[in-house]
Amino acid sequence: LLFLLLETLASRLVSTSWTPFLYLIQLFVSQGIVIGLILGYSQFKPGTARWLSLFYMLLLLPLQWTLVIDQRVSLEEQLASVWGRLYFSVSELIAQRPVDDPIFFVTVMSIAFWIVSSSAGFSLTRYQNYLRAVIPSAIGILVIQHYDNIVAERIWWLGFFTLLALFLLGRLYFLQNRVSWQAR
């Protein structure tokens, strides 16, 4: 249910069509939640799990960003092109000029969605903490809905997200009280 919830958030962002290559966010969310679930299930301390999640993010995301670059060149050239474009975009941002390169937005969103998805998977697996798992993604879908409310039919994404969040809450409540219910 958490996977579907986070993929709904990512799909809502993709439906905006704000920039090309937003479909990569769905891939980042699925990778982030898998890493979060694995680290939540592991016996690592929370600080160690955060560092491991950061390590996997720094390893996996740049490799995925290379999908934006022409695939006929070598991986080193693709990575150099990505880092060069990001450097130029950050320079433009610092100079308070408009950033036209879509890779900058995809990079910012992929980092944000990785953090949200991996921490949600970790919190739900390790602590069964519903609020820490759902609130960041709920804020995200509300912000996206606020800035992309031109097409009225897209409000259904928010409704579906709410339904999944309620299903997840019900599932956690059931799992928490199952033993006491069987005892009675």
Side-chain angles (χ1 to χ4, degrees):
L1 286 172
L2 182 65
F3 181 81
L4 288 175
L5 188 83
L6 292 168
E7 284 296 328
T8 301
L9 171 64
S11 297
R12 178 62 183 99
L13 179 66
V14 171
S15 73
T16 64
S17 299
W18 283 338
T19 187
F21 308 110
L22 279 177
Y23 62 89
L24 292 174
I25 303 297
Q26 293 173 314
L27 177 64
F28 301 143
V29 165
S30 61
Q31 291 173 344
I33 193 168
V34 166
I35 295 297
L37 292 171
I38 290 170
L39 292 174
Y41 187 73
S42 72
Q43 299 299 317
F44 292 121
K45 294 179 182 177
T48 306
R50 272 188 222 105
W51 282 108
L52 282 171
S53 178
L54 177 67
F55 169 74
Y56 283 117
M57 181 182 76
L58 293 174
L59 179 71
L60 294 174
L61 292 186
L63 290 175
Q64 302 301 323
W65 294 333
T66 61
L67 295 174
V68 175
I69 309 300
D70 183 18
Q71 298 298 305
R72 292 175 287 184
V73 297
S74 69
L75 181 62
E76 295 83 14
E77 291 174 356
Q78 291 174 6
L79 287 171
S81 176
V82 166
W83 291 118
R85 288 172 66 177
L86 286 175
Y87 178 76
F88 180 75
S89 297
V90 170
S91 300
E92 292 291 303
L93 185 68
I94 291 171
Q96 297 181 352
R97 291 190 291 264
V99 178
D100 296 327
D101 196 351
I103 198 168
F104 180 72
F105 184 74
V106 170
T107 300
V108 171
M109 288 296 106
S110 62
I111 291 170
F113 275 67
W114 178 280
I115 292 169
V116 166
S117 61
S118 64
S119 65
F122 181 82
S123 295
L124 196 66
T125 305
R126 175 78 54 101
Y127 305 113
Q128 290 75 44
N129 191 331
Y130 174 78
L131 293 177
R132 282 178 56 184
V134 173
I135 293 295
S137 55
I139 291 170
I141 200 163
L142 288 173
V143 167
I144 294 168
Q145 181 62 36
H146 174 73
Y147 286 105
D148 183 53
N149 59 4
I150 295 170
V151 180
E153 289 79 26
R154 291 185 184 158
I155 193 73
W156 288 106
W157 286 106
L158 186 60
F160 186 66
F161 180 89
T162 305
L163 181 68
L164 287 173
L166 289 173
F167 280 157
L168 181 61
L169 180 63
R171 177 71 177 152
L172 289 173
Y173 182 76
F174 172 77
L175 291 174
Q176 194 174 40
N177 294 312
R178 179 173 48 168
V179 174
S180 65
W181 291 338
Q182 287 176 346
R184 283 189 261 158

